[in-house]
Amino acid sequence: MAKQWRGVIREYFDRLPVSEHTPIITLGEGGTPLIPAPALSRRVGAEVYVKYEGMNPTGSFKDRGMTMAISKAMERGAKAVICASTGNTSASAAAYATAAGIRAAVLVPDGKIAMGKLSQAVAHNAHILQIDGNFDVCLTVARQLSERYPVHLVNSVNPDRIEGQKTAAFEVIDVLDRAPDIHVLPVGNAGNITAYFKGYREAQEAGEISKLPMMWGFQAEGASPIVLGHAIENPDTVATAIRIGNPASWAQAIEARDVSGGYIGAISDEKILEAHRILSAEVGIFVEPASAISVAGLLNRHEAGLVPGGSTIVLTVTGHGLKDPQWALHGLDGVETTPTQMSSDVDEIADALGLASRA
Ligand code: F0G
């Protein structure tokens, strides 16, 4: 029988805080492809790979952390879990809670949740509450609920989430047989940059890699508290996944940046959508806008002359394009791309396609 990937807990059992008493709740997450991106390599004069986290069971990297968070919650006897979310965490929590046979409650900000993500939470029968406030407000409420009521918090402030998500760094090393020189990723609540950095550090301590990659993180200009150095009350960006004004793992993100000699910068919505298009139309990978910021960030640094020639670079793209497909159809100007209407006449169609007759 063909070998099947067993999910991140079984694949990295010895490197996670689990034991034979931990019930393993998995949907087969992880083992995502590290895809060479020649079009990006040519653009920046380096060797660029894309870690396509949209290939996880619910379409985002959250599943790596959620398999751990839900498994550990079950080990501790949880009957219900709760999270605040811009969409992907709620989709993942809902799916893994279902797999565990418990209920997930999710708090989502008013509006600004991509349709695909909301559909997932509904489909997996989560208890969905839309809160009058942004993500930061939702997270504060979720934390207080978990302190005062019998419900386990599965946001990335839960250390089990970080443990699960660090496996993505292990996978990159397993494929490259080394760490990249630079690792680029989006920053929202800053859990994922924290998790990757923990993974790389552990690999270095284990003697698997000789040096850490520089961690480059990017926030959307309208939601860039770390770059500005202060919290933002009303964050705004087309990249709704990272529409966050006061990241919970702020200090850890700064540490990852500084210890690795890295960088955290801000990118405009225009540049995010431009990169979204480059990734889909030149590389062949469809992501949601928040994920495209990795590409936009790399191109931005290249324009500034700050991408070392010939270096090995991994871009994490965090969520699948089908989560929030509207940005492929119409950009910031709102002009919608629609297919040209045609009859079924073969010659007319050939003409429209610019095909010459075979004679
Ligand atoms: N990319 C996507 C697609 C996300 O959904 C998120 C976070 C991030 C990047 C940023 O990761 O928060 O670890 O820095 N989404 C959370 C959610 C906030 O609720 O789904 P981070």
Side-chain angles (χ1 to χ4, degrees), residues 60-62 84-90 117 135 155-156 161 165 186-193 241-242 244 288 290-291 318-319:
S60 88
F61 71 99
K62 305 288 182 180
S85 181
T86 55
N88 282 323
T89 298
S90 56
K117 302 175 188 179
F135 169 83
N155 278 105
S156 61
R161 281 275 312 276
Q165 283 172 216
V187 174
N189 212 25
N192 212 26
I193 192 169
I242 52 173
I244 294 174
E288 60 172 288
S291 305
T318 43

Side-chain angles (χ1 to χ4, degrees), residues 106-130:
V106 305
L107 308 183
V108 299
D110 206 359
K112 308 271 186 177
I113 289 281
M115 176 86 85
K117 302 175 188 179
L118 190 59
S119 319
Q120 289 178 286
V122 172
H124 297 304
N125 198 31
H127 201 145
I128 308 165
L129 298 177
Q130 195 166 81

Side-chain angles (χ1 to χ4, degrees), residues 53-105:
E53 290 289 278
M55 295 301 283
N56 277 295
T58 77
S60 88
F61 71 99
K62 305 288 182 180
D63 296 342
R64 295 178 182 277
M66 208 52 75
T67 184
M68 273 297 292
I70 300 289
S71 297
K72 294 299 283 185
M74 294 305 284
E75 188 179 341
R76 296 178 189 120
K79 298 279 180 281
V81 295
I82 190 161
C83 66
S85 181
T86 55
N88 282 323
T89 298
S90 56
S92 187
Y96 282 79
T98 294
I102 61 172
R103 193 90 193 270

